[in-house]
Amino acid sequence: MPAMVPGWNHGNITRSKAEELLSRAGKDGSFLVRASESIPRAYALCVLFRNCVYTYRILPNEDDKFTVQASEGVPMRFFTKLDQLIDFYKKENMGLVTHLQYPVPLEEEDAIDEAEEDTVESVMSPPELPPRNIPMSAGPSEAKDLPLATENPRAPEVTRLSLSETLFQRLQSMDTSGLPEEHLKAIQDYLSTQLLLDSDFLKTGSSNLPHLKKLMSLLCKELHGEVIRTLPSLESLQRLFDQQLSPGLRPRPQVPGEASPITMVAKLSQLTSLLSSIEDKVKSLLHEGSESTNRRSLIPPVTFEVKSESLGIPQKMHLKVDVESGKLIVKKSKDGSEDKFYSHKKILQLIKSQKFLNKLVILVETEKEKILRKEYVFADSKKREGFCQLLQQMKNKHSEQPEPDMITIFIGTWNMGNAPPPKKITSWFLSKGQGKTRDDSADYIPHDIYVIGTQEDPLGEKEWLELLRHSLQEVTSMTFKTVAIHTLWNIRIVVLAKPEHENRISHICTDNVKTGIANTLGNKGAVGVSFMFNGTSLGFVNSHLTSGSEKKLRRNQNYMNILRFLALGDKKLSPFNITHRFTHLFWLGDLNYRVELPTWEAEAIIQKIKQQQYSDLLAHDQLLLERKDQKVFLHFEEEEITFAPTYRFERLTRDKYAYTKQKATGMKYNLPSWCDRVLWKSYPLVHVVCQSYGSTSDIMTSDHSPVFATFEAGVTSQFVSKNVSHAPGPGTVDSQGQIEFLACYATLKTKSQTKFYLEFHSSCLESFVKSQEGENEEGSEGELVVRFGETLPKLKPIISDPEYLLDQHILISIKSSDSDESYGEGCIALRLETTEAQHPIYTPLTHHGEMTGHFRGEIKLQTSQGKMREKLYDFVKTERDESSGMKCLKNLTSHDPMRQWEPSGRVPACGVSSLNEMINPNYIANRGPCPRVQEARPGDLGKVEALLQEDLLLTKPEMFENPLYGSVSSFPKLVPRKEQESPKMLRKEPPPCPDPGISSPSIVLPKAQEVESVKGTSKQAPVPVLGPTPRIRSFTCSSSAEGRMTSGDKSQGKPKASASSQAPVPVKRPVKPSRSEMSQQTTPIPAPRPPLPVKSPAVLQLQHSKGRDYRDNTELPHHGKHRQEEGLLGRTAMQ
């Protein structure tokens, strides 16, 4: 199809891409036409003149004729075709800044990529499609097309008319006697005239077919009325026999909608689901009796063996968590009587040790209202994590709050390989297998929401849904509600939720985007679901991107297309794509990014996998590399990968990778790769923690392994102010609240010659607010600075209660006055440390997944009296590390002055292995579970110091033999963080900090000769890899952003000094033995682990000094005996 479109018509390219093409052309009068981003069916004419790009809108009228918005005083002219319009404006003095002279052609590589896609991509088992070609025998009807064919050698019309005639013939051969006469006439009218008009829409890159929608609406008009009338009766019948629904829950009112095809599909799907479920519900009810209506999932009591220090002597004890009764019972022996118990109300807080991964402090309140600090050491950090999750579940279950502050979400993705699944897939939902997995003690805790994405799924929706619900019933003893199910060919997404959340979930929306051959086939693409959970918006995207190691750029384009055209969420947020429409957005699927290494290294890759040297392979992971270069998944995060590549296995085994495949074109290589991924992006200063990320080992029917990820996500309630006098009525705003933006300016990467204004969108505003135009200034490096000064409007929130307002966010879009197109969007959190004072703000501006600039200024928030209550996710925190906090403070003071007042969570400290901060240190990455200051003001070092120390609360210690990553040998009872580092990782320094003066953030990978030896030896350490590296862990929650800010020395981007330069290695320092040595010191394991690479002498010396085991000793190590931290390792997740 691209060859049929005029060379200057670029369809749906982005505005920034259009500017890039025109700048590359470099001649005055260069022009191109693209689809308008702000008005459907409209176009944008982009013209280059004196190194500036001028944009004119081409608008259609009611008669589908086009006109250009030109200079004032120039009469409007109408054209039936775009070609005529372009030819007219090639004349001089027609109202444009200059006449059109040099059309900018389509990029050749795009066309080549399409051709390759057509020949290489294989469609396994697509649904039946209508014929795309003309029938071989030319009938009499096709003779009419011949004159047109001679008029236009490119002959786009021939193909379209032939398709129309072909469909006419097919309609005539069908039995249409049962069709109403008006329906048949409508179909014939569509084929004769309106099909061509819809085809024109497709040519411009639009996915909208308005005439087909009109036809379907006409055909479904009567059916829509019948469905609307029938659904309430069926829903009442379903609720009558529903086992899980509480008697007090009320049904959501049915709002009649217009008879559009989308509405009809949703209604019919709902109708089908209801009809298929009612009979099952009645059978289940009759079989189990009336008692089953009150059945619920029960979590059995779980006992943990711990050690507690009493008068300097460690004692073995047992902690029994009874979630259902709300008690924590302390016993000296597992089967003995209880010594004491604490009710859920008396357990005030859990404090995880940041240095000792298996140590936990519990703050409890005694009968005399005294607060006691109880310290316990668990068998390993995985047990500690399971204990914390159970106590959190207990607090949540017995909370006096009517609505939850936090939910847990299970995300699963699996390419099923067009093969039926095994009967048992429960390990997937229990997060069992390789990688960061859950402890057995958490098996009985059901997640609130389960999102399952599949690709190459051979099952029908009903069959797959039954298998999922049966598996979850087996795991949780609970029947989950189906929130949504949506399928595009063999790509499917299913969302299930606890029955208790049924009335908390609303505004459900589903959509899909095709990215297969010519973006018209659904063998590749994405399906999505979005909904509101009380006051929090959630979005989920399951995508299957282009396959093939060499198709990296095509995959990037797939992502961009999905980002632009997937219609989910609040339609009022039209200037924003899905990355800004949701509080939490989760992106899962077979993304098909490969390990980019030569095919002859296949066996070497497999050896590295057997030795679990994943970081060496992740350094060549295409997705990580593309994200580092900000080409894809901008500002998304991904948990550290600690599991083996999930593709391409030999089926029915997980012991062998089948990396070769014989095809007609020759041998095709599929090197083992992490094709199946889960990423997420949340609003700034919102609680979100990834609790597990791994793959199963026992589901082997496909050549892919299923991948799981689980999350804690903060949610807000549908707020009702406790202060009745200030509670607003319908259509009113709370007079006490005010949001004021001061001294704001935007820096844009654009050559457009236009004026700009701001739009403010938020659920806390009655409607969006538009500002006056800003003043343009020349910026550095060709950037444009737009200053808004004191002219920005004061925003009036609908509720001024701080408990509500401090949880809200303001979305900002900077738009062109000429075309109303957005040039960048950003998000500002209102969670400020204090109100009534000015706070610096910052947000990066992005558009269609690309960085377009920055927005800076100050904000002043005015609220009513009150304060935020403590949230459930504040229940678990992480202890401070004072020494590291001081180092961070020292680092900050040496920063560039312009960056001192940017968000602290974005200051990239040395030793940080986070690709997020290095990719874009200016991005607000405060995903921390607890409220925190959004910005650090210049010169306010007192606040900065406290803020930085809070940042360290969630920095995660590097872990060796980490039980969260699978079954390993036994742990010492108290494990210092630095003593658990892998010998392999000890020899690798984190990447150096980027120079604060660099305006364009990037990741700088140090050369080998620049990296000093870790232990002071003369040998050079290997080059740090790009892939995720170990981080300081705090899995349940923390009082600050998760590992966003870490310590370490920072001096103009140089690598951190080696450990030996900061402190000598103590002789008696206990060291966690290596994997190979564990087999000699502990119980032998059946299969010996492969040896690690050669170690430096210093590391070997440390490993041979056997660590002390305190399990059978009356002495516990004193904190003072261990040297202080040289530096902390941060998260690896990318924004």
Side-chain angles (χ1 to χ4, degrees), residues 691-746:
Q691 292 181 318
S692 67
Y693 190 34
S695 64
T696 64
S697 303
D698 59 346
I699 301 175
M700 301 178 286
T701 52
S702 170
D703 49 6
H704 291 252
S705 284
V707 167
F708 53 80
T710 59
F711 297 87
E712 282 181 2
V715 294
T716 57
S717 61
Q718 298 283 8
F719 188 82
V720 178
S721 178
K722 301 180 184 69
N723 191 339
V724 180
S725 63
H726 295 141
T732 65
V733 294
D734 191 334
S735 59
Q736 290 192 18
Q738 181 172 282
I739 306 165
E740 190 174 359
F741 288 90
L742 305 165
C744 293
Y745 66 95

Side-chain angles (χ1 to χ4, degrees), residues 349-357 359-361 373 375 384 876-882 949-955 977 1032-1034 1037-1040 1119 1128:
Q349 196 166 57
L350 306 182
I351 304 175
K352 294 179 179 179
S353 169
Q354 181 178 314
K355 186 172 183 179
F356 300 99
L357 301 173
K359 179 180 171 183
L360 184 71
V361 174
R373 181 184 173 96
E375 289 192 9
R384 183 184 78 172
V876 183
K877 296 186 183 293
T878 304
E879 68 178 358
R880 295 175 182 269
D881 187 329
E882 299 294 337
Q949 289 173 352
E950 262 198 359
D951 269 338
L952 292 163
L953 298 188
L954 204 85
T955 46
R977 183 187 64 201
I1032 296 165
R1033 300 202 168 278
S1034 173
C1037 182
S1038 167
S1039 63
S1040 70
H1119 288 216
L1128 301 177

Side-chain angles (χ1 to χ4, degrees), residues 45 56-59 66-70 77 85 89 96:
L45 172 61
Y56 301 91
R57 282 193 288 195
I58 302 176
L59 303 174
F66 298 105
T67 184
V68 171
Q69 284 186 328
R77 301 177 187 275
L85 183 149
Y89 284 101
L96 305 184

Side-chain angles (χ1 to χ4, degrees), residues 623-649:
L623 181 55
L624 291 176
L625 291 169
E626 293 301 285
R627 289 173 60 205
K628 182 201 77 166
D629 293 336
Q630 299 190 356
K631 293 180 179 177
V632 72
F633 287 100
L634 185 64
H635 300 153
F636 275 78
E637 299 182 60
E638 184 183 25
E639 184 57 71
E640 176 187 346
I641 293 178
T642 56
F643 50 93
T646 55
Y647 176 80
R648 180 177 182 252
F649 286 103

Side-chain angles (χ1 to χ4, degrees), residues 745-749 779-780 783-786 845 852-856:
Y745 66 95
T747 306
L748 298 175
K749 300 174 183 177
S780 60
E783 294 178 331
L784 181 69
V785 178
V786 186
L845 296 175
T852 58
H854 311 274
F855 182 84
R856 293 177 171 89

Side-chain angles (χ1 to χ4, degrees), residues 176-356:
T176 57
S177 58
L179 270 65
E181 187 176 341
E182 61 273 18
H183 286 190
L184 182 60
K185 187 177 185 305
I187 294 172
Q188 291 171 343
D189 290 345
Y190 177 76
L191 293 179
S192 61
T193 58
Q194 298 163 359
L195 180 65
L196 297 179
L197 297 175
D198 278 350
S199 178
D200 289 336
F201 277 98
L202 278 183
K203 280 176 58 180
T204 63
S206 172
S207 59
N208 189 26
L209 301 176
H211 298 93
L212 179 62
K213 287 185 178 179
K214 286 181 184 177
L215 171 64
M216 293 177 66
S217 298
L218 175 65
L219 301 182
C220 297
K221 188 174 181 182
E222 295 179 6
L223 176 61
H224 184 265
E226 288 296 322
V227 172
I228 289 292
R229 199 173 63 183
T230 307
L231 273 177
S233 304
L234 291 174
E235 286 182 333
S236 299
L237 188 61
Q238 183 197 40
R239 281 192 297 275
L240 179 63
F241 298 109
D242 198 330
Q243 300 173 22
Q244 300 289 340
L245 195 61
S246 302
L249 296 179
R250 299 188 301 276
R252 288 193 296 274
Q254 292 291 326
V255 181
E258 104 180 77
S260 68
I262 296 176
T263 309
M264 278 307 307
V265 169
K267 294 291 182 186
L268 287 173
S269 174
Q270 194 177 357
L271 181 66
T272 307
S273 175
L274 285 171
L275 290 173
S276 63
S277 67
I278 287 174
E279 185 179 356
D280 294 338
K281 289 182 181 297
V282 174
K283 285 180 181 178
S284 177
L285 185 64
L286 293 175
H287 178 70
E288 298 184 19
S290 59
E291 291 182 2
S292 64
T293 55
N294 298 319
R295 184 167 58 92
R296 59 177 179 166
S297 174
L298 298 177
I299 300 175
V302 181
T303 301
F304 295 83
E305 182 179 317
V306 297
K307 280 189 177 179
S308 174
E309 186 177 358
S310 176
L311 301 175
I313 302 174
Q315 296 179 343
K316 188 178 291 187
M317 305 188 73
H318 293 82
L319 300 179
K320 183 178 179 181
V321 183
D322 191 338
V323 173
E324 302 300 328
S325 66
K327 291 181 180 179
L328 173 62
I329 300 165
V330 183
K331 301 190 296 181
K332 288 186 177 177
S333 62
K334 187 173 183 179
D335 300 321
S337 59
E338 63 182 59
D339 294 340
K340 62 182 75 171
F341 75 88
Y342 301 100
S343 70
H344 64 92
K345 291 183 179 180
K346 300 295 184 181
I347 304 172
L348 305 181
Q349 196 166 57
L350 306 182
I351 304 175
K352 294 179 179 179
S353 169
Q354 181 178 314
K355 186 172 183 179
F356 300 99

Side-chain angles (χ1 to χ4, degrees), residues 17-63:
K17 183 67 175 178
E19 290 187 10
E20 179 189 329
L21 293 174
L22 288 168
S23 297
R24 206 182 297 166
K27 296 180 182 178
D28 285 357
S30 298
F31 71 95
L32 60 82
V33 174
R34 59 177 173 83
S36 170
E37 295 180 358
S38 57
I39 302 176
R41 299 173 53 207
Y43 298 90
L45 172 61
C46 304
V47 186
L48 184 70
F49 183 65
R50 294 180 180 174
N51 205 32
C52 291
V53 176
Y54 293 79
T55 303
Y56 301 91
R57 282 193 288 195
I58 302 176
L59 303 174
N61 63 6
E62 296 177 355
D63 300 325

